[in-house]
Amino acid sequence: MTTTEVPTAAPAKGVAPPSRPARRRREGAAWVFLSPWVLGACVLTLLPMAVSLYLSFTDYDLFNPPSWVGLRNYTQMFTEDPRYWRSVVATLTYVVIAVPLQLALALAVALALKSMRRGRAFYRSAFYAPSLLGASMSIALVWRAVFNDGGTVDNLFGTGGWVNKPGWALFAVALLTVWQFGAPMVIFLAGLLQIPGELYEAAAVDGASRWRQFAHITIPMLSPVLFFNLVLQTIQAFQVFTPAFAVSAGKGGPADSTLFYTLYLYDRGFVASHMGYASAMAWVLLIVIGAVTAVLFRTSRSWVFYASEGDR
Amino acid sequence: MTTATPAVRKAVPWRRVALHVGCLAALLVMLYPLAWLLATSLKPADEVIASLRLLPSRLEWSNYSTALDGVNDVSVGRLLTNSLLIAGGAVIGNVLSCSLAAYAFARLRFRFRGPLFAFMIATIMLPHHAVLIPQYIIFNQLGMVNTYWPLILPKFLATEAFFVFLIVQFMRGLPRELEEAARIDGCGPFRSFFLVILPLTRPALITTAIFTFIWTWNDFFTQLIYLFSPEKFTLTLALRAFVDASSQSSFGPMFAMSVIALLPIVLFFLAFQRFLVEGMASSGVKG
């Protein structure tokens, strides 16, 4: 595994098991390589986490020193702030709509591409393109215009402008996310191509239908990748910001229907200068994402199947 | 690469045709927003709204000249330079710092390697917002708000754990014997990193560079928080200012500017799509 314990036949100089000072020098070298990361982890991750926890118990406007208010930010958030709950509902609705749709589409397209002999590389790249472009402000603005009153979707289907309807605006944002199914699709496809073909051959010889092959070979063999995509996309969906900001011009409207959690956090912290309140919101988000990830990991034991358990 | 089509079942030609027809149809729907963007950027003002026609009746190139004038007296040239400066700095920072950390995690032995690696992986899942406000306060104290430092400096400290992970995955695949040979030739860890491992890691480094560029270019939230002088704006921020400042009649110029803002990503994608797609694929599979 490591360079320090390599039994070599050649007694060339420097190959003998390293002496204690040599080992210490090696250890020292490792820390030199790590130093930027260690500095970043301490100053830009651990310290800020501690500070934001502290600030969440204070009133702080960036100019006056923070004043301790105990749990008031949290109680206010949970009991006196209807906008907070609307942002929670909007975010959860969005996660529950966008993530499954996106993953289902990604898997369907990956399955279609897998059985292709020609053109697979072309489609793979073409379907992946929106994943890069879609995160931009440019495309978010296109979305707003296309789903607006008199926009293409309205003209085609007479929907009357989803971005102006409280019940539909969120769905327009979710569609933008679904449109970016290329990134999980690429990961699904790579996973599918690693499943040994012999498994399917054996199953076909035994007379297993396509559906049974899918349920009993593809899904179990793909489950680690499915799990990876599920965790990653869920975490990202909780933090969505740019499209909601663009579609609602930063307001989270109509009727707070696209007031996503991060948008409200930005509004409280950087528009209204309630840094303490925003910090409390950030910590709740951190705990919720941690809890969701933990639950996903726990349930994964029952459905994620690792072919080479010993290697891991 | 094994093709997993069951050999027993003969491939029926019409099935394959149907597959291609389906994929092409899906592709058309998916490319529509891009075509719409391009067409609208060339439409005269009266055709933008309430028109089902995708193509403009005549090409309104003045949209682009209006867009090139920029927003708030800041030209597009300046905005482009600002965006490039930030993205360029981020690329250099990420490639340098992430490859250093990745080498230590992938190839060297040190105390607490296991727990530190686990911590590094955990920070991939850490929501940015949990550290955002104190980071803002720190940069504010340092007098760096409304400069590019808050956008670039963190990249030199390997804060983007996703890329550390990506490079670790790649470096683990390189044969051990390389460093042993280098060591016999008298190379210490530094020389074997720079002379042996780093050149072989080039594909992962290129992937890191391209992703960093595109993600930094697309980033809106961080720029929105840290930059407020119009002459320091990036293209992304200027686009948003454009929307706020103009009425629906200047739709054409706005989308001309959107096209300009999207162009570098499109070019990067066309030039490097192999690295991008494979970089994305390899980040998930071996996890």
Side-chain angles (χ1 to χ4, degrees):
Chain A
M1 184 76 189
T2 337
T3 40
T4 41
E5 41 190 32
V6 188
T8 327
K13 57 175 178 171
V15 183
S19 55
R20 269 177 69 113
R23 204 178 304 151
R24 203 170 300 155
R25 213 165 44 238
R26 267 170 193 287
E27 171 107 14
W31 289 103
V32 172
F33 279 103
L34 273 183
S35 53
W37 177 80
V38 170
L39 188 65
C42 292
V43 177
L44 292 174
T45 305
L46 287 174
L47 174 74
M49 280 174 74
V51 171
S52 92
L53 183 61
Y54 163 72
L55 286 178
S56 75
F57 299 113
T58 67
D59 264 347
Y60 183 49
D61 62 1
L62 213 58
F63 304 106
N64 301 301
S67 64
W68 186 266
V69 295
L71 285 172
R72 207 183 70 202
N73 286 327
Y74 291 95
T75 51
Q76 191 185 343
M77 214 155 75
F78 292 136
T79 57
E80 296 158 34
D81 188 351
R83 287 197 89 196
Y84 176 81
W85 284 109
R86 286 203 285 276
S87 81
V88 169
V89 169
T91 309
L92 289 178
T93 314
Y94 163 79
V95 170
V96 168
I97 293 176
V99 174
L101 271 179
Q102 189 201 38
L103 290 185
L105 197 58
L107 181 58
V109 173
L111 283 167
L113 294 194
K114 180 196 123 179
S115 58
M116 233 176 224
R117 305 224 179 119
R118 277 153 175 255
R120 186 197 290 151
F122 164 74
Y123 288 121
R124 193 176 67 150
S125 287
F127 284 129
Y128 181 63
S131 294
L132 295 174
L133 307 177
S136 66
M137 187 44 97
S138 304
I139 295 296
L141 292 176
V142 169
W143 232 253
R144 183 164 79 165
V146 167
F147 286 100
N148 211 332
D149 257 335
T152 314
V153 173
D154 180 23
N155 283 331
L156 279 178
F157 306 109
T159 53
W162 279 359
V163 276
N164 307 315
K165 287 186 181 169
W168 288 95
L170 183 126
F171 200 67
V173 178
L175 267 186
L176 175 53
T177 308
V178 175
W179 185 63
Q180 301 170 51
F181 69 83
M185 180 274 288
V186 164
I187 296 173
F188 274 139
L189 183 58
L192 284 172
L193 293 175
Q194 283 192 340
I195 302 176
E198 301 89 65
L199 290 179
Y200 292 100
E201 285 163 30
V205 169
D206 290 346
S209 68
R210 254 170 195 279
W211 168 248
R212 283 184 68 93
Q213 290 180 25
F214 176 74
H216 294 285
I217 300 173
T218 309
I219 289 296
M221 292 298 282
L222 202 61
S223 55
V225 178
L226 194 62
F227 177 64
F228 176 87
N229 272 337
L230 181 66
V231 172
L232 213 66
Q233 297 302 326
T234 306
I235 291 172
Q236 280 176 13
F238 267 107
Q239 301 174 63
V240 67
F241 181 81
T242 310
F245 189 97
V247 160
S248 68
K251 306 287 195 298
D256 288 347
S257 62
T258 59
L259 184 73
F260 288 154
Y261 200 89
T262 52
L263 198 52
Y264 191 50
L265 192 155
Y266 165 78
D267 178 76
R268 290 296 87 197
F270 293 90
V271 181
S273 285
H274 293 317
M275 289 291 184
Y277 196 78
S279 297
M281 283 190 69
W283 262 87
V284 173
L285 180 67
L286 176 73
I287 289 165
V288 167
I289 288 185
V292 169
T293 313
V295 167
L296 287 177
F297 267 92
R298 184 140 300 197
T299 61
S300 78
R301 285 183 206 154
S302 64
W303 64 272
V304 174
F305 164 76
Y306 291 106
S308 49
E309 207 83 66
D311 291 357
R312 295 181 56 86
Chain B
M1 207 149 52
T2 53
T3 317
T5 334
V8 190
R9 201 182 287 265
K10 258 192 222 143
V12 196
W14 66 260
R15 258 191 72 96
R16 254 189 285 160
V17 172
L19 214 56
H20 279 277
V21 169
C23 280
L24 283 176
L27 207 55
L28 276 181
V29 175
M30 287 189 58
L31 293 181
Y32 179 82
L34 299 176
W36 185 94
L37 172 60
L38 204 60
T40 308
S41 76
L42 288 165
K43 275 184 181 172
D46 57 314
E47 281 181 38
V48 168
I49 323 157
S51 164
L52 253 181
R53 282 166 47 113
L54 183 62
L55 294 178
S57 61
R58 62 187 165 86
L59 299 180
E60 187 68 56
W61 290 105
S62 68
N63 285 343
Y64 277 86
S65 51
T66 310
L68 284 178
D69 290 340
V71 185
N72 300 328
D73 296 325
V74 183
S75 73
V76 158
R78 178 69 191 273
L79 299 167
L80 204 64
T81 315
N82 293 346
S83 283
L84 282 173
L85 213 65
I86 293 171
V91 166
I92 296 169
N94 256 352
V95 168
L96 263 173
S97 66
C98 293
S99 62
L100 286 173
Y103 180 69
F105 280 126
R107 304 299 259 196
L108 300 175
R109 167 172 285 189
F110 50 92
R111 286 182 69 182
F112 310 120
R113 188 173 74 158
L116 284 179
F117 187 71
F119 172 74
M120 193 273 294
I121 295 292
T123 60
I124 296 181
M125 301 178 193
L126 181 76
H128 182 47
H129 307 84
V131 293
L132 178 80
I133 289 165
Q135 277 187 11
Y136 185 87
I137 295 168
I138 292 171
F139 284 119
N140 194 30
Q141 298 278 325
L142 294 170
M144 288 179 174
V145 167
N146 203 29
T147 73
Y148 298 152
W149 290 114
L151 304 171
I152 298 175
L153 215 52
K155 315 279 176 174
F156 278 86
L157 300 178
T159 45
E160 297 238 27
F162 175 80
F163 295 114
V164 180
F165 174 67
L166 191 96
I167 303 172
V168 164
Q169 293 285 80
F170 192 90
M171 281 184 176
R172 276 181 176 162
L174 299 173
R176 273 284 150 203
E177 292 77 28
L178 288 170
E179 280 148 310
E180 286 159 27
R183 202 150 58 87
I184 293 168
D185 289 345
C187 285
F190 294 97
R191 280 212 288 170
S192 61
F193 170 68
F194 282 109
L195 300 176
V196 181
I197 299 298
L198 211 51
L200 291 168
T201 315
R202 201 179 323 162
L205 299 183
I206 294 176
T207 305
T208 300
I210 305 165
F211 270 115
T212 304
F213 184 92
I214 294 178
W215 287 352
T216 312
W217 193 271
N218 278 340
D219 176 43
F220 175 66
F221 191 60
T222 334
Q223 298 172 6
L224 176 71
I225 287 168
Y226 284 112
L227 303 176
F228 49 80
S229 308
E231 76 272 8
K232 297 216 167 109
F233 273 12
T234 58
L235 270 173
T236 306
L237 282 182
L239 253 182
R240 181 252 173 157
F242 208 131
V243 182
D244 290 351
S246 50
S247 60
Q248 285 225 324
S249 57
S250 53
F251 245 39
M254 181 178 104
F255 284 111
M257 198 168 192
S258 298
V259 170
I260 296 171
L262 213 52
L263 213 55
I265 312 176
V266 173
L267 293 179
F268 260 75
F269 177 75
L270 291 178
F272 299 111
Q273 33 114 346
R274 196 172 59 86
F275 282 106
L276 287 167
V277 171
E278 265 146 36
M280 191 36 88
S282 64
S283 70
V285 184
K286 294 183 210 158

